[in-house]
Amino acid sequence: MEIKYKNLFSEGKIGNLNVRNRIVMPPMGTNFANADGSVSQTLIDYYAERARGGVGLIIVEIVCVDSPVGKAITNQLCLDDDKYIGGFSDLAEAVHLEGAKIFVQLHHAGRQTTPDITGGIQPVCPSATHEGFLNVTPRGLSNEEIEDLVQKFVSAAVRAKMAGIDGVELHGAHGYLIGQFMSPHINKRTDKWGGSTERRMRFPLEIIKGIRQSLGPNFPICFRFNADDFVEDGITLDEAKIIAKILEDAGVNVLNVSVGIYETMPKLLEPFHFEEGWRVYTAEAIKKVVNIPVITVGVIRNPEFAEAVIAEGKADFVAIGRGVIADPEWPKKAYEGRDEEIRKCISCNTCIGLKVFSGQKMRCSVNPRVGYEWKYPYLPCACEKKKVVVIGGGPAGAYAAITAASRGHEVTLIEKEDKIGGQLNLSSLPPGKDKINWFTEWLEGELKRTNVTVRLGECATAEKLYELKPDVVIVATGAEPIVPNIPGIERALLSWDVLRGKANIPSGEDVVIVGGGLVGCETANYLLGKGCNVTIIEMLDDIALDMEPIERFDLLTLFTSKGVKALTKSLVTNITPDSIEMVDVTSRQIKQIPAKHVVLAVGQKPVGCELARDLSDKGIPVITVGDARSVGKIVDATLFGFNAGVKI
């Protein structure tokens, strides 16, 4: 077989370690560890599946060297005690059996954590500099504590080698402890641990020196660091070049180049609108000043793009992070030239921003098996072939149909619109959200590849379904906007209609949006693109509370710069021909504001319940999924759709 991406799938080398290709799975927190920080079976199965999918090197997520004060997430892996060695040995063995190499990322959160995670202990830092994103003020470390932390990193590396791990990565990026020592934005010390670049590098260099003394010259060390902090008086690309050369001289074998700290979060874990590979330029600049391999990362979604990065010498390895969460077989499909079958990450950040950062286990909007690899190592073949009819072609219905058909059932999908996707087609319309179309396109392709009969532009009635004589009906009819009973409501436009272009609002007009949740805020963003002046009315304490936190941070920053007004704790009571009347839910004071155009975005309600009841009354087994079951997010729709397809 001719390999389409020859550079991407050429063998790589890190020190004396051979890596089967140039694809790296970078470290990403999952909360899959056991509560005590040990390796769980869920974690082993998660990583083994990515190794089986063809990545060359897996760098295991943040591994704490000093628990609990060094933790950044609730269920974080630990390697600060010999009791953890056995679990890491099992993990290394599972990854090696699938042909990949494995590093662990040694980590200490420093000031980028909270007492809720550290068990009430005040976070630590080189200096007592306040952290703005989490609103944490740490205490400064003493010289004795710093020396002790150096040894804790070294001891963790020794344990990693004892467990059969191939190498370690020191996490000096993203504003965690090592990076805090390196960054002039955070490190304000005037002793030997701070000041000039060389003195700020003393902490990581002492760790590297200790690892080399303990494990010799041939144990691979990777160092992840920022090429740009993107904050005033932080690390810049020019200083990063100096740092890279210092690290190379210290004996580091490979550099993993990243950017950003928590206070510049959207550039650290990019939401929807960032372009593919936007930060490759930083790795390219670093590669020009060192003679050791360089890893690049950041919204790399397509094999063709990754191939070009390697072919053009911009980096030696490409890190595909959220891409292999979404599709563990990304490398395998690229190797076999099946690009169109890759289930691409849409950058929604549900995995980490919405789930892991809130203390939940990682999940994925487009891959419902994430975290359930142990439960569904493969799709079981159906014991009895059944006739399945799915009503609705949104993510829940389409995923249910694909899953049921993959198991051997005969599946027909009926969709009232003229295309698959449901609310995915609506969600992709606000500025920067076009990546959602990738998921719709994948669903369309999978429906064809699994031989699902798709009937578009057709309403499913009880009579039609009786004629089909199904064994099971999956109702995935979605939701519709809520229209509250408010005087003058007939003057308001639906946010869905505004986004679809069915209700036109001229450019530059004044608009009041009733409802400040995700849909209302994304409609506001859409109208800002038309030059409109936007006011949002929300009865809760704040707007966009149901959005993924990083995307919310990014959007609210935009709203501030564009002058969007948000009137919170306000309940609309009347819509007049030229104004809106509302009441403050706290003070009960009545207010009135001008409103030339009014747009409704106050939520959604399930539809299709009546049809489901009719079918059940006729004795036809019915499974209701997606928004028809309970209004939720893409991640909920795909998970329940998949689960329905598995259970039939």
Side-chain angles (χ1 to χ4, degrees):
M1 180 182 72
E2 185 177 352
I3 301 172
K4 186 176 180 181
Y5 303 113
K6 294 181 180 178
N7 292 283
L8 188 60
F9 290 99
S10 62
E11 188 175 75
K13 201 170 183 68
I14 297 173
N16 293 326
L17 184 73
N18 293 321
V19 182
R20 64 182 172 187
N21 57 46
R22 306 303 184 95
I23 302 171
V24 175
M25 179 183 180
M28 297 168 288
T30 63
N31 275 331
F32 290 160
N34 292 317
D36 65 352
S38 60
V39 173
S40 66
Q41 191 60 47
T42 298
L43 194 88
I44 291 173
D45 292 342
Y46 166 79
Y47 280 114
E49 179 150 313
R50 273 78 198 162
R52 192 177 308 119
V55 297
L57 169 65
I58 289 174
I59 306 177
V60 175
E61 63 197 79
I62 51 177
V63 177
C64 187
V65 302
D66 186 20
S67 178
V69 69
K71 291 172 59 178
I73 58 176
T74 50
N75 281 24
Q76 183 168 335
L77 286 167
C78 294
L79 201 45
D80 55 354
D81 191 285
D82 288 352
K83 67 183 181 182
Y84 298 115
I85 294 173
F88 277 94
S89 177
D90 291 344
L91 175 59
E93 183 177 76
V95 169
H96 287 153
L97 283 170
E98 302 297 346
K101 297 297 193 293
I102 181 171
F103 288 9
V104 295
Q105 184 188 64
L106 303 182
H107 167 270
H108 191 297
R111 70 174 192 161
Q112 281 187 174
T113 186
T114 66
D116 289 340
I117 293 173
T118 64
I121 302 173
Q122 183 182 12
V124 298
C125 187
S127 310
T129 49
H130 185 75
E131 200 285 325
F133 186 80
L134 296 173
N135 193 27
V136 168
T137 300
R139 67 170 181 83
L141 289 160
S142 69
N143 280 318
E144 184 180 355
E145 288 174 315
I146 294 171
E147 298 284 0
D148 185 52
L149 282 167
V150 168
Q151 188 53 49
K152 286 183 175 180
F153 274 96
V154 174
S155 297
V158 171
R159 293 186 187 102
K161 186 175 182 183
M162 290 172 66
I165 300 293
D166 298 305
V168 294
E169 176 175 275
L170 299 176
H171 199 344
H174 304 164
Y176 294 118
L177 184 66
I178 295 177
Q180 289 163 26
F181 273 95
M182 295 166 64
S183 175
H185 174 69
I186 302 169
N187 186 351
K188 305 299 182 182
R189 298 180 75 102
T190 56
D191 59 6
K192 67 178 182 178
W193 304 103
S196 66
T197 301
E198 289 73 20
R199 291 200 337 219
R200 282 184 277 111
M201 286 297 294
R202 184 183 296 273
F203 183 66
L205 291 178
E206 288 293 311
I207 296 170
I208 294 164
K209 179 182 175 182
I211 293 173
R212 282 282 169 253
Q213 288 175 342
S214 298
L215 299 179
N218 295 322
F219 185 70
I221 299 175
C222 176
F223 197 96
R224 192 168 209 187
F225 72 109
N226 277 356
D228 201 325
D229 286 341
F230 291 119
V231 291
E232 188 178 352
D233 74 1
I235 291 172
T236 63
L237 186 53
D238 286 339
E239 186 176 28
K241 294 176 184 177
I242 298 170
I243 289 170
K245 288 187 280 189
I246 291 172
L247 292 169
E248 180 181 25
D249 292 342
V252 168
N253 301 105
V254 59
L255 298 173
N256 191 350
V257 182
S258 195
V259 298
I261 63 176
Y262 276 20
E263 288 162 296
T264 56
M265 181 58 80
K267 291 182 178 178
L268 169 56
L269 192 60
E270 304 94 335
F272 287 101
H273 65 85
F274 278 77
E275 293 182 6
E276 181 167 20
W278 71 276
R279 46 167 129 152
V280 169
Y281 77 94
T282 60
E284 183 180 13
I286 297 300
K287 182 168 168 55
K288 290 176 180 177
V289 300
V290 295
N291 295 304
I292 54 176
V294 170
I295 304 170
T296 191
V297 69
V299 202
I300 297 174
R301 300 287 184 260
N302 293 286
E304 188 174 0
F305 185 94
E307 169 73 7
V309 169
I310 305 299
E312 295 168 14
K314 295 178 179 178
D316 301 282
F317 293 88
V318 291
I320 311 294
R322 288 172 288 175
V324 295
I325 295 175
D327 195 335
E329 293 191 324
W330 192 105
K332 181 180 179 182
K333 291 174 181 177
Y335 181 83
E336 295 173 356
R338 297 187 288 133
D339 298 23
E340 73 283 353
E341 294 182 36
I342 293 174
R343 181 177 42 208
K344 289 187 280 191
C345 167
I346 59 175
S347 298
C348 68
N349 278 340
T350 293
C351 52
I352 300 170
L354 186 65
K355 295 295 184 179
V356 174
F357 281 178
S358 64
Q360 301 178 57
K361 297 182 188 299
M362 178 186 281
R363 295 291 182 258
C364 176
S365 288
V366 301
N367 180 3
R369 290 185 60 253
V370 171
Y372 290 104
E373 290 86 358
W374 60 273
K375 187 175 184 180
Y376 303 112
Y378 56 87
L379 277 180
C381 291
C383 297
E384 176 189 351
K385 184 175 180 178
K386 293 183 178 179
K387 194 171 186 179
V388 180
V389 176
V390 180
I391 310 170
Y399 227 111
I402 291 162
T403 306
S406 298
R407 296 183 54 230
H409 293 301
E410 179 188 339
V411 182
T412 299
L413 186 151
I414 302 173
E415 166 56 49
K416 67 178 181 178
E417 303 294 338
D418 59 1
K419 65 178 296 187
I420 292 297
Q423 284 196 53
L424 293 176
N425 298 318
L426 180 70
S427 301
S428 66
L429 295 174
K433 303 277 300 269
D434 55 299
K435 289 187 181 75
I436 291 176
N437 291 323
W438 290 347
F439 187 34
T440 306
E441 291 163 5
W442 182 84
L443 291 171
E444 290 173 333
E446 284 296 294
L447 288 167
K448 292 176 183 176
R449 287 186 283 272
T450 55
N451 296 314
V452 173
T453 300
V454 177
R455 291 161 57 167
L456 298 175
E458 185 176 330
C459 285
T461 62
E463 291 73 22
K464 284 184 181 179
L465 291 167
Y466 301 152
E467 291 172 8
L468 290 172
K469 297 181 179 178
D471 296 304
V472 180
V473 172
I474 297 175
V475 176
T477 43
E480 63 184 8
I482 293 172
V483 180
N485 186 19
I486 298 172
I489 196 69
E490 64 277 357
R491 188 166 83 79
L493 305 172
L494 294 176
S495 58
W496 289 19
D497 290 340
V498 172
L499 290 170
R500 288 169 173 157
K502 291 182 178 179
N504 182 48
I505 295 177
S507 299
E509 298 278 279
D510 294 335
V511 184
V512 176
I513 297 176
V514 181
L518 183 148
V519 176
C521 287
E522 292 196 332
T523 305
N525 191 17
Y526 170 80
L527 291 169
L528 286 176
K530 297 183 68 174
C532 294
N533 303 307
V534 179
T535 299
I536 299 172
I537 300 175
E538 170 58 49
M539 68 177 184
L540 298 178
D541 293 350
D542 207 344
I543 62 171
L545 292 175
D546 57 342
M547 291 183 76
E548 183 276 315
I550 300 170
E551 185 187 5
R552 179 178 187 266
F553 180 86
D554 197 36
L555 189 62
L556 294 188
T557 302
L558 174 69
F559 282 2
T560 300
S561 69
K562 297 288 187 180
V564 174
K565 297 175 184 175
L567 305 176
T568 57
K569 300 181 182 179
S570 299
L571 183 66
V572 174
T573 56
N574 189 23
I575 301 174
T576 73
D578 56 5
S579 69
I580 280 184
E581 292 178 4
M582 65 192 118
V583 61
D584 186 295
V585 296
T586 303
S587 68
R588 309 310 296 175
Q589 182 181 359
I590 297 172
K591 296 183 260 183
Q592 190 172 28
I593 61 169
K596 185 171 184 179
H597 300 282
V598 179
V599 177
L600 278 184
V602 295
Q604 305 161 46
K605 60 182 180 181
V607 295
C609 301
E610 224 174 90
L611 178 59
R613 279 196 300 270
D614 288 347
L615 294 170
S616 293
D617 290 344
K618 294 290 184 181
I620 299 175
V622 174
I623 303 173
T624 305
V625 297
D627 285 351
R629 175 182 179 272
S630 178
V631 175
K633 298 183 181 296
I634 298 172
V635 63
D636 306 306
T638 55
L639 179 59
F640 283 96
F642 170 78
N643 193 52
V646 168
K647 284 187 172 180
I648 296 172

